[in-house]
Structure formats: C-alpha cells, structure tokens
Amino acid sequence: MSNEHTPLLTPGVCGLTVGTAACGTASDVTPESGPGTGPPNKDPRKLDTFFGVMVPTILSMFSIVLFLRTGFVVGHAGLLQGLLMLVVAYTIISLTVLSICAISTNGAVQGGGAYYMISRSLGPEFGGSIGLMFFLAKVCACGVYVLGLVEAILDVFGSDPGKSQNKRIRVLPQGYWYTVLYSSIILLLCLMVCLVGAHIYSRTAFVILLVVTVSLLSIFISFLAVKPQDFVITHQGPGNQTSHFNVSYTGFSASTLRNNLGAGYSLDYSTNNLMSFATVFAVMFTSCTGIMAGANMSGELKNPSVSIPKGTILAVLYTFTVYILLFIMVSSTCSRGLLIQDYGFFQRINIWPPFVTIGIYCGALSAAMSSMIGASRILHALPTRGFGTRTDTTVFFGLFVLQCVVFAGQLNAIAGLVTVFYLLAYAAVDLACLALEWASAPNFRPTFQVFSWHTCLLGIVSCLVMMFVINPVYSSASIILLLLLLLILHYRAPTSSWGYISQALIFHQVRKYLLMLDVRKDHVKFWRPQVLLMVANPRSSCQLILFVNQLKKGGLYVLGHVQLGDLDTLPSDPVQQQYNFWLSLVDKLGVKAFVDLTLSPSVRQGTQHLLRITGLGGMKPNMLILGFYDNCTPEDFFLQDSAFCDSSMGKGSDGEYNFGVDLPSLQAHFPPVRHVESPRWLLPEEYVGIISDAIKMNKNVCLGRYFFQLEGEDKDSKVDGSERTIDVWPLNLLQPGSRDCVDVCSLFLLQMACVLNMSNRWRHARMRIFLNVETESSDQGWVVNEETFRELLRKLRIRASIKIVPWDSVAQHRAQPEEDRPTQALSEELLSAVNSLLMEHSSQAAVRFLYLPRPPAQSSQAQQYLANLEAVTNSLGPTLLIHGVTPVTCTDL
C-alpha cells in the first residue's frame, strides 16, 4: 500500500538529492499531472500566486460580461437590482471560495484543480460525478466566451445594410450558420493552443491581462473625457423589418442616474425574448464562473496550498470592486435605450474604440482557452475507462462537446445552462467542505480558518435556490444527471486509495447509533441472529460461509479465525497483515460479513476471545457456528468457483486499487486443504470444549456438516428456492423417550428454519416439520401433542407442513428411556436406526435442521459425543445441528 502515501519532502530538500526514478513526486507518476508537464527531469511547478492564480482568475471574470453585457444587466435590471445581483453572485462565489481555500490548504494539491480537491475529499464516486459536472460547466462556459467573441467580431466586421459607416471593413456575412462557422474556426484556434501545451497560455496570460487592463482604463477615462452624444441604433427585426432607436450618452447626470435606478425589463434584441430577473442574473453570473481558473492550474503552481486561497481571494475582491464602479458609472452616464439596444456601446463612447475591441478579443480568447484547458484537464484526471490515458483524447472530446454547444448560436441562449452547471458545481465544493467539517476527522486541519459549517451550508442553500430561480427545468435535469453519474461511477469506477468521505461520515453516524443501541432494551420480538462463524480455512468453508450469509436475516455476521501462536515469541502481530486478504475474500464471495481475527496458543482459547470481544455495544454475536468435526476429506472451493480460478479476475483496470491483494496473492495466502493423513490442529476434546464454552457463555451453537454439497449459494446464482425443501426435526433424536417438543432448543431450531425460509434464495422453499411418535404405544398422547404443535405454529406464524413419523424402530433400542443422559454410549443399533429414519424421510431435502444434544461435561466423553453425531448425520447431505439456549419466539404483539 505504498502508493497510498505521497512524499512529505520533495527531491532536493535540505540539500538531499533524491533520485526521481526511485521516488518521484506524485505529479510525476499520477495521471492527474495534466498536459504540458514537461520532461520528468524538470519541475513543472513554476507559477507563483500572481501569474498562476490571480492572472487566469481575473481574465476569466473579465471576459464577456465586462465588455458586452454590463449595459445589458444595468439596462434591464436597473442599478439597484443590478447591484443586488452582483452582491448575490459574489456572496455565492465568496462562500465557495472559502470552501476552496479550506480544502486546498488541508494537504498537497496535485494536478486536476478543483476536481482533484473534490475527488480526494469526497472519494472517486462523488469526485468523479462532480468532476464531470465541472467539465460540462467549463465546456458550456467556453461556448459562451466563443459566441461572445463572434458577436463582438460581427459587431465590427459584420455586413449590415442598416449601417452606412465603415462599409469597407464590414465584409463578414451574418446569420445563424455563419455564427456557427465563425465559432468553429475560433474553437480550432483554441484547440491548437491546447494541443501545443498549457505553458503557451500561461506565458501569454499576463500580456493579455495588461491589454484588458488598458482597455478597462480607457473605459473609465472615457466616462470623464467623452462629451455627451446622440446615436441612432438600427436592428434587423423579424420579417426583414428594420427598427431604429434614438439613444444618447449624457455624461454624468443625476437625471440619467434616477432613470436607471429601477428595473426596465424588455425584449432582448439578440434572442427576441422578454427578459426577467432570472434570465438577466443568469447572464450576469457567467462573469463569476472564473474563480476556479487558478485552482485548475494547480499542477503548475509552486505552492498550490498557499497560492490558490490567496490569489483567488484577491482576484475576487479586485473584480468585485471593478464591477461595482463600472455599474455605477454606466448607470450615471448612459440612457437606458443605449444600454438595452447596443451591448457593445463601450466602443461608441470610448476615446479610441479599438481599445475596447482589442480588449474584448483578448479577454474572450483568453477565457475560452482557459476553459478549454481546464475542461480537458478535469476530463484527463477522471477515473473513467476510455479517458484519462491520453491528453489529446480528452482535448478532442472536449472540442466535440463544445461544437455541440455553439449550435445555440447566441450567448444569452445558453447563459442559463452555464450558470446552472456552475452553481451545481459550486454547491458540490461547499458540500465537500461541509462533509469534511461534519465528519470531524482529526486530519482535517486546514491552515485557512476563515470558514465554518455555517458558511458551507449557506453556500449550498444559496446555490440551489438560485439554480431553481434561474431555470427549474435545467436545475432538475442537472441534479438528475449528477445522481446518474454518481451511480454509474459507484459501480464502474475502479477502487482507489484516496480515502472516502462517506466512510468518515458513516463512522461518525454509526458511533452515535451504537451508543443509542442499548442492550438493556432488547426484546424477544426484535431478536435476530448475530452470527460468529469460525473458519479454519476458507478454501473448504466457502459454501458454509455463503449459506450462513442467507441465515443472518439482517443481523451481525462475523467471520472469525484463530491464528495459532504466542505474541511474546514473535517480532510483530501476524494477524494485522491478514485482514486485507480476508476482506478481499468477503468481497469475492459477495457476503455481508465482518472479519475478526485473533492470535492465541489454542483454537479454544482464541474462540473464547472472539466470543467475548467481537462486536460492539448491542451488536455482539449471540450464535456460534462451527464446521463439523469429522474425517471427511475437505474439498477446495477455490478450484471450483470461476471467481477464484479465472486469472483475468486478478487483473484490475488502469488505476484500479485492490488494497494490495490480487487474485494470485489471495490464493497463495490461504493454505491448501487438509489431506487425510495431515495432522489436525484441533483435538476432539478441544472442539467439544468450544461448544461447551459457548453454551456456558449463553450463546446458541450450530454445527454445519456436508455444506460443500450445497449448490446455488454463490452471488451469481439464480436459484429462488422453489425446488428446495427445508426439513426440520425439532425433537432430540438421541433421546427416543423425550416428548417435549416445545422446549427452548426446539423453538430456537424452528426459528432458525423460519429465518432461512425468509431469505431471498430460500423464500419459495417448502418447509416440513417432522414429529416423531410411538404409534404402537398404548399412550395416545402424541395426538394431543400434534394438535398442540399445530396451534403453536399458528401462533408463531410459521407456515410449514407437519409430518408424523413413527419411530417405534428407534424407540425399541433405547436402554434407559427415563434417564436424561444424552452423553451415554448409545448403541450402534439406535444410531443406525436414527440415521436410517432421517435418510428415509429427508434424503431429498436441500438442508436439514436437527436437534443438537448438550455436550458432555467430562472431556473423556468428547470423542463418543462426536461419534454419536457423526453416525446420526452420516451421508445425509447439508445438515445444521442446532442447540439453542435463548428464547427467540414471541406470540404477542
């Protein structure tokens, strides 16, 4: 399990030179390192906080909305509602930023950005599904930037019969399909950059930020330098009708500010749809989707845990300040008609219009490339088969999805979908941080402390509320998609060593419920079997393990094993290294069982330990099940089951983590089955002593024999039990004089047969109960006993047919019918007669439940006791001998 840990010191720390071939950093060996990492001998982490986080984050947030949709927001929503939208949007992203900072400062962040942080916090299922949502959000956002760029290009170079100025440069034809064509050409340009490598984008990002900053400064200067002007704006309406609008730039004016304070929602000239608070907010929120741009560059950051929180917070504060100032200046200087009818009005009122044009082109291209690179990195790092192996593959797949997005044709048409995806992704980040906080794991110690579970919960709620405010249909569909991805990855994704937040949360809740499970409140009405099955060698016990899995009825099921040895003579505990092999065995068999192993000088003493300490609180075994002690040669189940024979089962897919246990090592761990001549680890006296110990500890005891003959119990079996029969013999067959058919042991035996009959693979099996009577006796009390027994079954709600079996041939061999001495040396004739009786009536049964007599008190009688049981059950087939000591049935409500 060495790959579970990452080096705490990187090569070269403190003057030490460490060979990268021997112990390279995680980014050298994991698929999350992302594209463009460079040769292994060069450190790909070169970017600091400013260039690696602030620059891409600011560029992503200063993309389209800043230049092309500021007037759209203020014009339709007014200054007050526009500022409200801005506050709501930045509140949501600020809460998310707090969660990002907490997660990113809780450990080393590798490539994959936000996906890496979420997947390593929540596990592969949650992380993978949320990562795919991030991928879709990034792809749709890239489509928004590309469509916005095309809109800006056509605004300058697009042919328009209604505009007489600059006809020489207006050469590009316009229309829906032309928009798609131009968008595809821009996507190919972005694709070329992604294929060459992210380092090109990183090197040019700062230059692009300088250009955008100059454009932004020119806008602020223009508000002060440009004089009031009037404009006539024309739009091509439906039916080739041309509409003219007289608008004005007033400069700073109190009346203009008053007119722009309130909302004035009207038709959007690009889509001819009536705008509302939700639709305008959806467009405005696309400016807030860049907070992950810095986190997505985590593979290139020198110190991600420091750079991501610091750079992201500074970028958010900077962009928020700029947007506030811009909203106020626009609403104070521009008429509402100018804002609504010309989304590119900044070019009209600028001291030199090319400043704005260049800023739009650079900002949109930069944001589009950032989104495409981020999307490809997320997809590259996902633990899905088919992706994550080649960077080129992920980039081309992202291009295909992007091409589908640009068929929307208009920026405003897909803004709602983009916003919903991002809000869901941000809610997932808050959920990851909330889960870590609520799990109370001691190792969750982020250096960033400005957060709490309140901020995480508020972030989740605010994201979900705004999702449904914007578009309930998109929101519902995206949540359903997230749940479907979660289920698919749960069953298809390979096992990883990242750690699962679900395990921490389950532990937290289970501990609470175990404390609430008070053993003093136990009642027989709610009794269920809680089984400790002792297993010497799983190779010969798999069928019994599978059968007991059906017998547990939702109760505790523990596989116990005793390793012989003395810890004083060993350098370390050999049991600890065995748990993974046993747990892998449980996974292979598909049983719902725990594993408990112990080290002891003897099997009997080890079993006592397990009976006492296995379980916790109210979940402790109340039943001990043992394999039968006989001289039969065990069969090797590993050689019969294809899951253990097929070598292909041991080959995991790329990236699959099998906890250090593959099929060959699992087979090699468990020794071959015992041969007839091999010495026994367990003496008959010790075996019978284990049964006596369990009864003294008030545990019910079951002995299973011939279960290697039972078929149809493996996890792939389609057996429904319709052709099976369960035979129950509730009387003590070794005491022919016994007439008590309703003692505790008999009732327990009936209960266990009923429990088996309620399990999935035995639900349709027929249950038969055999009552032994002496028909030749002058005492006809058996008739009354039969009626009494039928009434008892009715009260216990047990559906079974009762078979009356004369056993005069057995009773005639009893020596002392009135003495209760079950451990006496019974005659061979009696044992043979009992076995013949069972063979005559139960030879075709799938499984038989027999009464297990109490073991002898003297160890000298142990061999005789086992010989009696072996003779009675000889050649019967799967048989369970049961001795119950606790009341388990109830006839009251």
Side-chain angles (χ1 to χ4, degrees), residues 78-191:
L79 176 62
L80 297 180
Q81 288 194 21
L83 292 177
L84 176 62
M85 291 179 184
L86 203 60
V87 170
V88 171
Y90 270 82
T91 299
I92 291 174
I93 66 171
S94 297
L95 294 171
T96 306
V97 165
L98 296 181
S99 300
I100 294 173
C101 295
I103 296 173
S104 63
T105 59
N106 190 52
V109 179
Q110 306 299 332
Y115 159 73
Y116 181 92
M117 294 187 292
I118 295 174
S119 62
R120 286 351 184 241
S121 300
L122 296 182
E125 300 100 335
F126 288 99
S129 57
I130 295 169
L132 285 172
M133 298 304 294
F134 263 117
F135 167 76
L136 293 176
K138 281 286 180 184
V139 166
C140 292
C142 185
V144 167
Y145 303 141
V146 171
L147 290 173
L149 178 58
V150 171
E151 179 182 317
I153 293 174
L154 293 178
D155 193 44
V156 177
F157 300 102
S159 61
D160 190 346
K163 296 181 180 179
S164 58
Q165 68 274 23
N166 300 326
K167 283 191 174 183
R168 287 179 300 176
I169 63 173
R170 292 184 173 276
V171 295
L172 296 179
Q174 299 193 57
Y176 170 78
W177 288 108
Y178 282 110
T179 299
V180 174
L181 174 63
Y182 303 147
S183 300
S184 302
I185 295 173
I186 295 173
L187 286 178
L188 288 176
L189 176 63
C190 295
L191 174 66

Side-chain angles (χ1 to χ4, degrees), residues 476-514:
S476 302
S478 62
I479 293 175
I480 292 173
L481 177 61
L482 177 65
L483 295 177
L484 288 176
L485 292 173
L486 178 65
L487 291 175
I488 292 173
L489 289 178
H490 176 73
Y491 291 105
R492 300 283 301 185
T495 307
S496 75
S497 61
W498 301 343
Y500 295 75
I501 187 62
S502 57
Q503 295 295 302
L505 293 173
I506 290 171
F507 177 88
H508 193 262
Q509 293 302 114
V510 167
R511 181 188 64 85
K512 285 185 177 180
Y513 288 123
L514 278 176

Side-chain angles (χ1 to χ4, degrees), residues 624-673:
L624 174 68
I625 299 183
L626 304 171
F628 197 78
Y629 192 98
D630 56 19
N631 293 319
C632 293
T633 303
E635 295 192 17
D636 193 340
F637 183 80
F638 284 12
L639 300 178
Q640 303 174 12
D641 195 307
S642 59
F644 294 93
C645 298
D646 189 357
S647 60
S648 64
M649 295 295 293
K651 298 178 181 179
S653 61
D654 292 340
E656 184 169 0
Y657 184 68
N658 56 15
F659 301 101
V661 179
D662 55 9
L663 185 60
S665 61
L666 180 67
Q667 292 175 328
H669 175 74
F670 297 109
V673 296

Side-chain angles (χ1 to χ4, degrees), residues 638-836:
F638 284 12
L639 300 178
Q640 303 174 12
D641 195 307
S642 59
F644 294 93
C645 298
D646 189 357
S647 60
S648 64
M649 295 295 293
K651 298 178 181 179
S653 61
D654 292 340
E656 184 169 0
Y657 184 68
N658 56 15
F659 301 101
V661 179
D662 55 9
L663 185 60
S665 61
L666 180 67
Q667 292 175 328
H669 175 74
F670 297 109
V673 296
R674 175 181 54 84
H675 296 288
V676 179
E677 297 83 6
S678 302
R680 305 290 292 265
W681 288 357
L682 195 63
L683 297 176
E685 293 79 11
E686 192 175 6
Y687 180 84
V688 176
I690 292 174
I691 300 174
S692 300
D693 294 341
I695 294 175
K696 290 176 183 178
M697 299 168 70
N698 203 36
K699 308 292 184 183
N700 307 289
V701 179
C702 301
L703 308 180
R705 190 179 190 190
Y706 292 125
F707 275 92
F708 62 87
Q709 300 177 6
L710 185 63
E711 298 179 354
E713 290 299 299
D714 56 284
K715 60 183 179 181
D716 298 325
S717 174
K718 304 298 182 182
V719 174
D720 62 356
S722 57
E723 298 180 358
R724 288 178 164 180
T725 303
I726 303 172
D727 283 358
V728 184
W729 297 78
L731 297 183
N732 188 349
L733 298 179
L734 298 184
Q735 295 187 53
S738 175
R739 297 180 180 179
D740 189 3
C741 60
V742 290
D743 64 354
V744 172
C745 187
S746 298
L747 292 177
F748 184 85
L749 192 144
L750 288 171
Q751 179 80 334
M752 294 309 300
C754 184
V755 166
L756 179 65
N757 203 193
M758 296 168 68
S759 64
N760 292 333
R761 291 179 184 154
W762 296 83
R763 189 179 304 277
H764 302 290
R766 295 180 297 113
M767 188 162 69
R768 303 186 300 177
I769 301 176
F770 293 86
L771 288 182
N772 306 323
V773 299
E774 296 183 42
T775 55
E776 298 179 1
S777 173
S778 58
D779 183 7
Q780 296 298 312
W782 64 270
V783 179
V784 178
N785 289 341
E786 179 188 357
E787 293 300 322
T788 303
F789 196 77
R790 290 184 185 275
E791 180 65 17
L792 175 65
L793 293 182
R794 186 186 63 80
K795 290 182 178 181
L796 295 177
R797 290 89 59 202
I798 297 177
R799 281 178 268 183
S801 59
I802 298 179
K803 305 293 183 181
I804 305 299
V805 178
W807 69 337
D808 301 275
S809 59
V810 176
Q812 67 182 357
H813 296 292
R814 64 176 181 264
Q816 297 175 333
E818 300 302 326
E819 289 189 16
D820 185 14
R821 296 176 58 194
T823 60
Q824 64 182 341
L826 302 176
S827 64
E828 292 185 5
E829 292 80 4
L830 174 63
L831 298 174
S832 177
V834 171
N835 180 255
S836 299

